Amino acid sequence: MLLLTVLACRNNEVHATGSAPVYGFEVVHSWPHDPRAFTQGLVYRDGKLYEGTGINGQSSLRQVELETGAVLRRHNLEQQYFGEGITLLGGRLYQLTWRSRVGFIYDAATFQQVGRFDYSTEGWGLTTDGTSLILSDGTATLRFLDPRTFAVQRTVTVTDEGREVPRLNELEYIRGEIYANVWTTDRIARIDPATGRVTGWIDLTGLLAPEERTGREDVLNGIAYDAAQDRLLVTGKHWPKLFQIRAVPR
Ligand code: DDQ
Ligand code: CA
């Protein structure tokens, strides 16, 4: 009897939570993207596209011309750092590193480094809701950091159907939701920042033709949002193209 009750409860829970809907995609536009860029962070703001790249000795912060993929401004990280996610807040660009537990702060207009900060986890993706920095670290947990003190204000665990969603990687805060691509998958999760619930998935399988993918590490990574023109931009590590996509029901 007890067992039955427990089973019934579990069933109810699954029903109440439900599985998040999966959307397909439509390509609105595509542009060239530097295939040498091991893309780790992507941001679009006020007509400008910024990109952070990884790999020791090749890590950089870039301003890129969307239409041509040309690198307009570039800052190289020292060999010891593996660049990760970037975000822009208050005229400053913030850039994570993978395992060094240090982030860098730059003047967004000049790429002059103006500071650095420490954090206690790996650094994967980074975005902002306009108040906090939001960091992913390869787990299902997102951390909200104070952009001045870098203190952890709160954490949220991302779940779908009650199950944790690990390997959250590149992030973008879009109209009140956090979009996150999941490392080594073709999927983007749309996350409610208050609860961590996945409200939907965008399945980007087939976005980059298989013959255009060069290596195993060359996965989907990079989400940016042009708020002024409501454009969702995505690319991947070493991808020769950057896409504007639209999620569509399937
Ligand atoms: N991370 O971005 C998921 C946090 C780390 C990816 C590390 C991949 C290492 C690849 C090394 C390839 C060397 C050519
Ligand atoms: Ca982003």
Side-chain angles (χ1 to χ4, degrees), residues 23-36:
Y23 293 83
F25 70 93
E26 240 169 47
V27 175
V28 181
H29 223 295
S30 75
W31 298 277
H33 175 249
D34 180 2
R36 288 161 304 185

Side-chain angles (χ1 to χ4, degrees), residues 60-132:
S60 68
L61 176 69
R62 302 155 174 224
Q63 189 191 324
V64 176
E65 188 171 61
L66 175 65
E67 293 74 19
T68 62
V71 179
L72 303 176
R73 191 184 296 275
R74 178 175 178 143
H75 165 84
N76 292 326
L77 275 70
E78 287 168 49
Q79 159 90 33
Q80 71 192 105
Y81 298 114
F82 192 116
E84 288 281 344
I86 64 167
T87 194
L88 197 157
L89 179 62
R92 292 173 163 204
L93 281 159
Y94 296 77
Q95 183 173 36
L96 299 177
T97 60
W98 183 15
R99 286 174 161 160
S100 305
R101 302 186 176 208
V102 63
F104 300 107
I105 312 168
Y106 312 89
D107 180 313
T110 63
F111 282 17
Q112 207 72 268
Q113 194 185 317
V114 294
R116 52 189 279 161
F117 59 101
D118 302 312
Y119 48 91
S120 60
T121 59
E122 288 194 9
W124 285 40
L126 191 63
T127 191
T128 179
D129 56 10
T131 304
S132 308

Side-chain angles (χ1 to χ4, degrees), residues 17 29 33 37 44 59 66 69 72 102 132 155 165 188 215 217:
T17 317
H29 223 295
H33 175 249
Y44 192 96
S59 296
L66 175 65
L72 303 176
V102 63
S132 308
T155 64
V165 181
I188 291 176
E217 292 293 340

Side-chain angles (χ1 to χ4, degrees), residues 19-226:
S19 189
V22 180
Y23 293 83
F25 70 93
E26 240 169 47
V27 175
V28 181
H29 223 295
S30 75
W31 298 277
H33 175 249
D34 180 2
R36 288 161 304 185
F38 194 84
T39 308
Q40 298 286 57
L42 203 65
V43 169
Y44 192 96
R45 187 77 53 81
D46 298 328
K48 297 192 176 85
L49 179 67
Y50 303 93
E51 180 167 5
T53 70
I55 305 287
N56 293 88
Q58 299 175 30
S59 296
S60 68
L61 176 69
R62 302 155 174 224
Q63 189 191 324
V64 176
E65 188 171 61
L66 175 65
E67 293 74 19
T68 62
V71 179
L72 303 176
R73 191 184 296 275
R74 178 175 178 143
H75 165 84
N76 292 326
L77 275 70
E78 287 168 49
Q79 159 90 33
Q80 71 192 105
Y81 298 114
F82 192 116
E84 288 281 344
I86 64 167
T87 194
L88 197 157
L89 179 62
R92 292 173 163 204
L93 281 159
Y94 296 77
Q95 183 173 36
L96 299 177
T97 60
W98 183 15
R99 286 174 161 160
S100 305
R101 302 186 176 208
V102 63
F104 300 107
I105 312 168
Y106 312 89
D107 180 313
T110 63
F111 282 17
Q112 207 72 268
Q113 194 185 317
V114 294
R116 52 189 279 161
F117 59 101
D118 302 312
Y119 48 91
S120 60
T121 59
E122 288 194 9
W124 285 40
L126 191 63
T127 191
T128 179
D129 56 10
T131 304
S132 308
L133 299 175
I134 306 169
L135 178 151
S136 71
D137 62 4
T139 69
T141 299
L142 297 176
R143 296 186 143 63
F144 290 69
L145 308 186
D146 182 312
R148 286 177 305 112
T149 65
F150 303 97
V152 179
Q153 299 165 317
R154 70 182 182 98
T155 64
V156 70
T157 301
V158 176
T159 57
D160 181 27
E161 230 186 333
R163 281 194 207 94
E164 292 195 10
V165 181
R167 297 186 296 280
L168 299 171
N169 202 0
E170 223 276 311
L171 307 174
E172 196 62 38
Y173 188 86
I174 302 176
R175 290 176 309 216
E177 293 181 312
I178 299 168
Y179 284 45
N181 57 249
V182 178
W183 188 46
T184 71
T185 77
D186 289 315
R187 285 195 170 197
I188 291 176
R190 291 172 54 169
I191 300 158
D192 174 354
T195 61
R197 287 247 173 94
V198 175
T199 58
W201 293 96
I202 309 173
D203 187 344
L204 297 181
T205 303
L207 174 59
L208 186 71
E211 61 272 18
E212 293 200 279
R213 228 178 253 215
T214 43
R216 282 192 56 206
E217 292 293 340
D218 300 355
V219 291
L220 168 73
N221 205 36
I223 310 169
Y225 182 60
D226 173 8

